[in-house]
Amino acid sequence: MGGAEMGREAARPKVVALGGGHGLHVMLSALVRLPVDITAVVTVADDGGSSGRLRHEMPGIVPPGDLRMALTALADPGEHGALWRTTFQHRFRGDGALAGHPVGNLVLVGLSKVLGDPVAALDAAGALLGARGRVLPMACQPLDIVAKVAGLDEDPSAVRRIRGQVAVASTPGRVRSVTLDPPDAAACPDAVKAVEEADLLTLGPGSWFTSVLPHLMLPDLAGAILGSRAHRLVVLNLAAQMGETEGFSPEQHLDVLSDHAPALRIDSVLADRASVALPQRLATAAARLGARLDLHDIAIPGTARHDPAGLAASLAAVLALGGPAVVAGRSGDES
């Protein structure tokens, strides 16, 4: 494979998965099936639901929702880890002050307050769950996504600025570009170091403008990604996302990456075979980024959800780990 060599016998390959939300959860659910060292680098711009409420009530807190989901994907599959995974994901019901909050969000916020450091809080929570990898925030402060969106006015050429992850993800307009606020925020040093030492970097699947692109908008982290010797893999979504990428073809997702990070070069693009209507067009788009296109069966048949086992087999091939035999020997939890 391109980038850093994967044929080392003494050390397990180091994989850094960049993303957020359900897309990152499924990627981590695939990676835990493989003999690799895992680091998840997670977006910190969530401003909806429980995370949004906690951000409002405690300014400066890193939104915990996507971080919690990553931790639970890495939880040890044994009885102890399963108990804590279920507990972290348990969401309070009713009409009280706790209604809608997952337990894990509150634990992460509490640990951050006690330890004074979101990275230390995540490491402590990871130990509690027996996490088979490390979860890091892309920045140690909350960020906001700001998008330029067209199609919200009678004039189709008019562009408005929309602020906030939830607003961008649900806009009825067409997202043209995104930036982060503050634009010069410092990346988490541990996340930068993980990227610099990685053998494989994965971008996607996930919400393209609000979970994937933000990693390329943070100067320190983007610099590490662009300068990395790792194999850089983009995993495409199975379908366009209503609001955020509605109407996008698979190749348009790659064009958006290039528009936001013109210097970015990719080694390979992974897509589900049945989800690509025009493979040659997608292969051409991938080639513009320096990448080869790999079409595999990575969806759960009849759904728009990735199959962790199928995705793991594809990742094993990229890592030259022996493919299905390796995956079968390490059957992690499905998302």
Side-chain angles (χ1 to χ4, degrees):
M1 60 175 285
E5 286 198 17
M6 293 296 180
R8 301 173 302 171
E9 295 181 0
R12 288 149 55 105
K14 296 180 179 179
V15 181
V16 175
L18 303 127
H22 294 283
L24 181 59
H25 188 279
V26 76
M27 172 59 72
L28 298 176
S29 298
L31 286 171
V32 295
R33 297 166 177 263
L34 303 175
V36 296
D37 289 337
I38 307 167
T39 301
V41 177
V42 186
T43 53
V44 289
D46 189 3
D47 62 351
S50 170
S51 289
R53 289 165 57 193
L54 291 169
R55 284 185 65 171
H56 177 74
E57 294 172 13
M58 286 175 278
I61 199 73
V62 172
D66 286 358
L67 297 164
R68 180 198 85 249
M69 289 185 64
L71 282 169
T72 58
L74 295 176
D76 186 274
E79 184 177 347
H80 175 84
L83 171 62
W84 279 109
R85 180 179 64 244
T86 302
T87 302
F88 262 53
Q89 294 286 58
H90 176 76
R91 193 178 296 268
F92 290 105
R93 301 180 182 276
D95 301 319
L98 293 179
H101 285 302
V103 172
N105 284 9
L106 302 179
V107 171
L108 287 174
V109 170
L111 284 170
S112 294
K113 291 293 186 180
V114 170
L115 298 173
D117 177 9
V119 173
L122 286 162
D123 286 342
L128 194 65
L129 281 89
R132 295 165 289 174
R134 197 176 187 204
V135 175
L136 296 169
M138 63 183 288
C140 293
Q141 67 180 88
L143 305 173
D144 285 311
I145 291 174
V146 181
K148 292 183 177 179
V149 180
L152 297 177
D153 300 285
E154 291 186 6
D155 180 359
S157 64
V159 175
R160 293 173 57 184
R161 287 167 61 88
I162 301 295
R163 185 183 186 89
Q165 178 172 315
V166 172
V168 173
S170 59
T171 179
R174 187 176 181 86
V175 179
R176 298 296 189 190
S177 64
V178 292
T179 56
L180 293 176
D181 185 30
D184 56 352
C188 169
D190 284 24
V192 172
K193 182 180 179 181
V195 168
E196 292 172 344
E197 296 178 351
D199 297 306
L200 172 65
L201 298 176
T202 69
L203 281 164
S207 300
W208 217 243
F209 285 102
T210 55
S211 291
V212 176
L213 285 177
H215 295 86
L216 299 169
M217 302 293 96
L218 203 60
D220 295 343
L221 188 58
I225 294 169
L226 295 178
S228 173
R229 297 177 58 205
H231 186 100
R232 288 179 286 251
L233 169 68
V234 170
V235 181
L236 290 178
N237 295 332
L238 300 175
Q241 184 176 350
M242 289 188 62
E244 193 167 318
T245 55
E246 190 168 359
F248 274 37
S249 64
E251 53 270 21
Q252 282 178 292
H253 287 74
L254 297 183
D255 291 341
V256 165
L257 276 182
S258 182
D259 290 343
H260 283 76
L264 178 67
R265 287 296 173 263
I266 300 297
D267 292 291
S268 55
V269 173
L270 174 62
D272 178 63
R273 196 185 320 272
S275 301
V276 178
L278 300 170
Q280 187 54 53
R281 186 176 294 180
L282 180 57
T284 300
R288 288 197 291 268
L289 288 169
R292 73 170 187 267
L293 172 64
D294 292 325
L295 295 177
H296 294 175
D297 297 320
I298 56 175
I300 298 174
T303 76
R305 293 187 295 136
H306 286 88
D307 173 25
L311 182 55
S314 297
L315 294 170
V318 172
L319 290 160
L321 290 175
V326 172
V327 178
R330 295 178 60 88
S331 55
D333 302 309
E334 295 191 7
S335 61

